[in-house]
Each structure stands twice: as structure tokens, then as C-alpha cells.
Amino acid sequence: MLNFKDKVVYQIYPKSFYDTNGDGWGDLNGVTAKLDYLKELGIDYIWLTPFFVSPQRDNGYDIADYRAVDERFGTMADFENLTKEAEVRGIGVMLDMVFNHTSTEHQWFKRALAGEKEFQDYYKFVDGEPDSPPTNWVSKFGGNAWEYVPSLGKWYLHLFDVTQADLNWENPKVRKELKDVVLFWKSKGVSGFRFDVINLISKPDTLEDDSQGDGRRFYTDGPRVHEYLKELVADTGIEDMITVGEMSSTSIDNCIKYSNPDEKELAMTFSFHHLKVDYKDGDKWSLMPYDKISFKKLFKDWQEQMTAKNGWNALFLTNHDQPRIISRFGNEDKYWKESGKLFGGLIHLMRGTPYVYQGEEIGMLNTHFTDINQYKDVESLNYYNILLEQGKSSTEALDIINQRSRDNCRTPMQWDSSDNDGFSTGNPWIQVPKFGKAITVESQVDDEDSILAFYKKLIALRKDYEIISNGDVSFDLEVPEQVVSFKRSLDGQELLVYGNLGEDDIEISLESDLSKGKLLISNYGENKVNLASSLILRPYELLVVII
Ligand code: GLC
Ligand code: CA
């Protein structure tokens, strides 16, 4: 297996990236048009979220045809051109394979509904009575996870929206179909794949109610998931490609298995525990300030334990399902720049492969929408209603959605000062947020002190310093509660990273003799830091010393 230690991936949500034909939707040609920008940023791969034929109930994660480009994104020729142009610039293309479920608009599901037994076996259909779903499992988007089909007298499972029917991986024909999809895109010259919620594909043989939770413990990292992944990888020959699995509510032990090269499963894994530290009692829709101690502890555990057993982490703080990190754990106003750089720095200096989500590199913020009708995401809209049913006022419910909605990261990329921040000359499918300052590529591209310049530098550092891409990692430096710190080490060299997660100045005592060290990067201007044995970290200050 190849490794991807010194690589950086840039995630593109094409619908919101750049619209070239003025229909309000970003498109594949829009990605091609911005490749020079991405090359300049220094990234190695782009991961495109789904642009396949889809009713767009879940923005393309509900696929109706795995092998065709949705015409709103362009054509197959546009895709081939994008791949070719990316390759010319040394950028590989990764595609998003949504294999846990299909849209109910997919041919397979339609044929199942039409009564074809063969296709009913493609999904999780269970005989039953209209009033009693097979289990009490809860859909990740709210409500029971089973839907009744009166004409068949059967229920089908949907762990996500009712229009996203779970596939039956126990059926070898399904596994064969999905392998063929991978082979199809591989033959188009793509460089790798991201596998959507891939640790949910293996369901238990016996279905039972969950008396303790929403059912996830039965199908998360399910009984045959490793076997299925090994088979998928071996039969499609993608072992040496860059692959990343999105792992929902997973465990470190399973992620070691998914990503240890000896297992021949995936190159790396996304996990989410560190992004649940502001969920009160584990509930995404219950607000709480983020718990810095858990945040630090989760990084420590995942970094150290994955490393000890040769697992590999995909590193990220934001993606198309998460709020913007500055709005979430940083400060949008007073410390916008400092906090944006701090969080970027932490991710890029850890052990693993960093992912940059579009707009993160310029410090984009949450939607700040004032009306629920501005939201588009199915999950946000479902939960808004659920919150109202639970007795919240519309103001309270909107406040929760404002903080937790997946649309926070799905608003258009902010390019320049023209209409719609340069995203589209038409009517964007979702509004461009209007909030305080102009946050655009144009306003940062020539500014050496910008968040954008800082990301360029971080990406370049990974290529220049093997200690960053390949060094060991430990989190045992003694620091105050609001400070996160870790040490990287390689061949007698050490890299010390300290970050102030808070907004108070805080004194830290540094490890041994830092005066021999060199400041590698700083979010407070490099010459302002004096490397003594104890020093004050300012709000959101990131200190990186190499010795
Ligand atoms: C993943 C995707 C998310 C999608 C879900 C169902 O979590 O990232 O956007 O809604 O899977 O496919
Ligand atoms: Ca368009």
C-alpha cells in the first residue's frame, strides 16, 4: 500500500463551489476553472462530493445512477476534462462512493417496488404489518428508520432519509454491482475514493429493538464490515489508491483495522468523536459550549493509539456536514484571523492526512440565516420541526439550527466582491451569507498575513519537513486546561506545538531549552515571539517550535 503522509486533500462541494453557466448551481466546469487556484494552494488531491444523477433530496448523497453525471453539474465530457486538467496540474481526483444506500429513485429500488424479488433482495426489506416497524431504530435524520410499502406488505430500512434505502450487502450481487461502479470510475482515471458512511454497511442477521439507544450499536462497524471492505478493495484493485472511509460513531480499534496497511482495507479513516464535544448529553440538537478537555483528550487518544498500531487518521475539523470551525470553536469577530489560523495549524501539524474543506482556507463562517426558509438541508428542516414538536419556540429552534445545521458549510464559496461573492451570476441555490466583513479569496490572495497565506504555508511545511508528515506524536506535555499541545519527533528532532484555545492570555512553561529552537510558524507575526522557558500565549495563539 502506498502512503499519503505528505499529501493534503481539498474537499469540494461542487454545488457550492463555482457556477460557470449562471444557473445558480456550482458545476464541474466551475471546478476546472478554479484548478489553478487549488494548485497555487498546494494541495495534492481534490475530493468531489457526489455529482451523480440524484433527486437531490440529500444533495447528491441519494444516488439514482452511479455512473452518470447529473446534468445540473455538467456532462461526462466535463468530468473527463476536469480529471485531465487536474492531472496536468499534478492534482488527483477522488470521488465519493455512497454505498450504504441508494435513492429510492434508483432503478434497483423501482424494480423492487414493482415486485421483482431479485431487486427486493438488493435492499433490507422485511415482511410486516403497517403498524409495527421491524425495530425501533431511529433514522439519522429523525423518525423511525423503517418505511412501510403497503403494496408489498413489507418495510424497508433507511438509516438516513426515507428516500435513501439501505442496500443489502449480504447479497453478493449487490457487492458485485458496487465493485463494478468503482471499476467504472477507476477506468475514467480517478486517483482515489471516499466511501460514505462505509462502516454502516454490514447489518446484523437478527433484527432486534434497541432498549438502550437508537439502534446504532447493532450496525455500526457491523459483523462483516471488514470482510466486505477487504473484498471490495481486492476485487477492484484499489489497494494502492488513496481511499478514505467515513466512519460514523466508530471506535479506535476498528479504525486501526480499517487503515492499517497490513489489513488491505483503506488508506485512512474519518472519525467524528472530536466534533461531538459541544453536543449536550451526546445530542446534536442540544447546545453547549465545547468541552476543551474532551476535545484534547480525543485527539490524544486517536493520535497516539492509531499511531501505536499503525493506523492512519484523516485529519479535519470541518466538512460539508459540520458548522464552520471559527464560528464553532473560535471567534468570528475579534479573533477571526487568529482562531482560523490556530485551528488550521493544529490539524496540519498532527499525524495523519489533512483535509481542507472549501472556504476553510479563507476563514468562512456559518450562515447567519435569520429565517428557517433560507435553509435547504433535509436534516435541518426535519429537526426544526422536531424541535418545535418538543416545545421549543421558533426563535429557540432557529438558534439551534443556526449553530448546528449542515448548511453552515454549504453556502457558496466566496471568491470576490462581485455579486454573490463571485459564485454565480444567477440566483444561487442557497444564499451567500451576509455577515460583517468581506471574506473572499480576492481579498486574501495578495495578503501575506491572511488565513489563505497561512494555509499555503502549512501545506508547504508538510512537504518540507518529514517530522510533520512522518514524525511520531505524543500529547504528554504539561499544559494548562485551555492549552492544547503535542510533540512530534523524528530522528532526534522535535517539533513542539502549543495552542491557546481560550481568549485569555495564559502563561505556559515550555519544555527544556527552547532557545536552541526555531519558530516554524506563528499566527501572531513571527518576530513578536521570544522563546524563553516560560511565555504568555495570547488568545488563540499557536506556537510551533522545532528543535
Ligand atoms: C454522510 C455524508 C452526508 C450524508 C450521509 C448519508 O454522512 O457526509 O452528507 O447525508 O452520509 O449519505
Ligand atoms: Ca451551473
Side-chain angles (χ1 to χ4, degrees):
M1 258 204 188
L2 296 181
N3 73 60
F4 301 95
K5 298 183 172 178
D6 63 350
K7 303 292 186 258
V8 177
V9 182
Y10 187 90
Q11 184 192 348
I12 295 184
Y13 202 67
K15 196 171 174 177
S16 296
F17 194 59
Y18 184 54
D19 173 20
T20 54
N21 64 352
D23 66 356
W25 275 49
D27 38 55
L28 294 176
N29 286 337
V31 178
T32 311
K34 298 295 183 182
L35 285 171
D36 285 333
Y37 165 72
L38 297 171
K39 183 175 165 54
E40 185 61 26
L41 186 57
I43 55 96
D44 303 280
Y45 294 95
I46 50 176
W47 146 30
L48 301 169
T49 63
F51 51 80
F52 317 109
V53 171
S54 157
Q56 295 285 325
R57 175 79 185 156
D58 186 23
N59 274 344
Y61 283 92
D62 47 331
I63 296 176
D65 184 347
Y66 286 105
R67 290 182 173 79
V69 176
D70 192 310
E71 59 185 18
R72 288 164 287 188
F73 287 111
T75 63
M76 190 60 86
D78 295 341
F79 175 74
E80 285 161 357
N81 183 46
L82 162 58
T83 313
K84 194 182 92 227
E85 290 295 325
E87 197 186 337
V88 168
R89 291 165 180 80
I91 296 173
V93 174
M94 295 166 69
L95 295 189
D96 209 324
M97 299 286 106
V98 187
F99 284 174
N100 176 67
H101 44 264
T102 73
S103 163
T104 49
E105 296 290 303
H106 195 287
Q107 275 307 315
W108 302 334
F109 196 81
K110 287 189 176 167
R111 295 179 72 172
L113 283 191
E116 288 187 53
K117 275 229 105 327
E118 185 187 351
F119 289 97
Q120 287 170 6
D121 282 345
Y122 273 42
Y123 296 91
K124 290 289 180 186
F125 276 102
V126 178
D127 291 327
E129 298 303 318
D131 297 325
S132 51
T135 67
N136 65 350
W137 298 357
V138 182
S139 151
K140 311 237 177 221
F141 292 164
N144 187 274
W146 296 91
E147 180 72 8
Y148 192 64
V149 184
S151 62
L152 301 177
K154 292 178 196 293
W155 295 83
Y156 70 86
L157 179 66
H158 61 91
L159 292 181
F160 294 87
D161 187 58
V162 58
T163 65
Q164 292 166 298
D166 280 55
L167 284 163
N168 177 18
W169 274 71
E170 280 61 50
N171 180 352
K173 280 193 201 152
V174 168
R175 304 205 296 276
K176 166 84 169 64
E177 296 268 16
L178 299 174
K179 288 174 208 164
D180 287 346
V181 172
V182 169
L183 290 172
F184 174 84
W185 289 106
K186 197 181 160 197
S187 75
K188 299 254 170 226
V190 307
S191 303
F193 298 95
R194 178 250 189 199
F195 293 100
D196 190 61
V197 289
I198 198 69
N199 68 328
L200 308 185
I201 57 176
S202 168
K203 316 296 195 281
D205 291 334
T206 25
L207 298 171
E208 49 183 307
D209 276 349
D210 191 348
S211 55
Q212 302 164 21
D214 62 7
R216 72 182 65 193
R217 66 198 172 98
F218 296 123
Y219 56 75
T220 302
D221 302 313
R224 298 176 68 188
V225 64
H226 293 286
E227 177 189 326
Y228 292 156
L229 269 175
K230 286 183 168 70
E231 184 188 295
L232 176 74
V233 169
D235 291 355
T236 54
I238 57 170
E239 197 182 305
D240 286 335
M241 299 179 103
I242 181 164
T243 53
V244 55
E246 185 201 27
M247 304 302 175
S248 165
S249 302
T250 186
S251 67
I252 296 181
D253 284 342
N254 274 294
C255 284
I256 289 167
K257 231 175 155 188
Y258 293 128
S259 65
N260 181 316
D262 296 340
E263 298 286 337
K264 299 193 176 1
E265 294 185 16
L266 301 172
M268 61 191 99
T269 52
F270 286 120
S271 65
F272 295 89
H273 303 276
H274 65 295
L275 294 175
K276 295 182 180 174
V277 294
D278 54 0
Y279 292 7
K280 193 165 166 215
D281 304 321
D283 174 12
K284 173 169 176 178
W285 310 99
S286 195
L287 303 177
M288 146 180 126
Y290 89 107
D291 175 351
K292 297 188 177 67
I293 304 211
S294 308
F295 183 70
K296 288 163 38 172
K297 171 86 167 67
L298 283 161
F299 273 117
K300 173 181 167 63
D301 292 349
W302 281 83
Q303 287 277 296
E304 293 182 352
Q305 293 176 36
M306 289 283 277
T307 302
K309 299 222 173 120
N310 212 10
W312 194 252
N313 285 300
L315 304 167
F316 74 109
L317 283 172
T318 180
N319 67 21
H320 64 293
D321 295 328
Q322 301 289 331
R324 292 286 179 183
I325 198 63
I326 298 177
S327 306
R328 190 174 187 180
F329 298 163
N331 184 316
E332 294 182 330
D333 301 302
K334 199 163 167 212
Y335 302 111
W336 167 70
K337 204 186 263 187
E338 290 80 2
S339 58
K341 290 178 179 179
L342 168 73
F343 288 111
L346 292 177
I347 286 301
H348 283 258
L349 296 168
M350 278 190 216
R351 185 174 162 88
T353 300
Y355 284 65
V356 181
Y357 177 71
Q358 66 182 48
E360 174 190 338
E361 77 279 20
I362 55 168
M364 278 176 60
L365 304 175
N366 280 355
T367 63
H368 294 278
F369 288 163
T370 52
D371 186 332
I372 188 66
N373 293 317
Q374 291 171 285
Y375 284 98
K376 305 291 174 202
D377 177 25
V378 53
E379 184 200 49
S380 306
L381 298 172
N382 286 353
Y383 270 97
Y384 180 76
N385 289 325
I386 292 173
L387 291 166
L388 293 182
E389 279 159 25
Q390 288 171 355
K392 298 260 184 314
S393 70
S394 51
T395 317
E396 286 167 329
L398 184 63
D399 179 44
I400 295 174
I401 300 298
N402 277 342
Q403 296 198 47
R404 296 293 149 88
S405 174
R406 304 192 299 176
D407 282 341
N408 280 315
C409 258
R410 297 177 179 183
T411 57
M413 178 73 184
Q414 296 161 197
W415 295 104
D416 58 37
S417 58
S418 62
D419 285 353
N420 301 318
D421 287 5
F423 162 67
S424 170
T425 54
N427 235 332
W429 70 275
I430 188 169
Q431 260 170 273
V432 180
K434 284 281 159 269
F435 176 71
K437 53 185 152 290
I439 299 174
T440 60
V441 170
E442 182 184 47
S443 65
Q444 295 185 33
V445 77
D446 294 321
D447 174 3
E448 276 180 26
D449 185 43
S450 64
I451 298 180
L452 180 58
F454 196 81
Y455 268 80
K456 278 187 200 164
K457 207 164 163 185
L458 287 170
I459 294 167
L461 283 175
R462 176 164 290 262
K463 318 271 173 214
D464 292 346
Y465 288 84
E466 200 194 339
I467 193 169
I468 297 176
S469 59
N470 201 19
D472 210 341
V473 64
S474 75
F475 274 67
D476 47 20
L477 302 174
E478 285 286 330
V479 281
E481 212 172 287
Q482 73 184 66
V483 176
V484 56
S485 75
F486 51 92
K487 187 199 290 186
R488 307 291 312 275
S489 42
L490 184 78
D491 302 334
Q493 201 178 36
E494 286 191 339
L495 181 83
L496 303 174
V497 180
Y498 298 85
N500 183 359
L501 300 173
E503 301 197 350
D504 298 317
D505 286 354
I506 180 112
E507 180 165 3
I508 52 169
S509 36
L510 299 173
E511 274 233 331
S512 57
D513 190 6
L514 277 201
S515 53
K516 283 188 279 159
K518 175 177 133 206
L519 202 60
L520 203 58
I521 186 167
S522 157
N523 59 346
Y524 265 84
E526 261 126 83
N527 39 26
K528 286 188 220 140
V529 183
N530 183 11
L531 289 178
S533 61
S534 97
L535 59 79
I536 308 280
L537 283 184
R538 289 156 287 187
Y540 298 106
E541 182 159 5
L542 173 72
L543 181 73
V544 185
V545 183
I546 190 158
I547 311 175

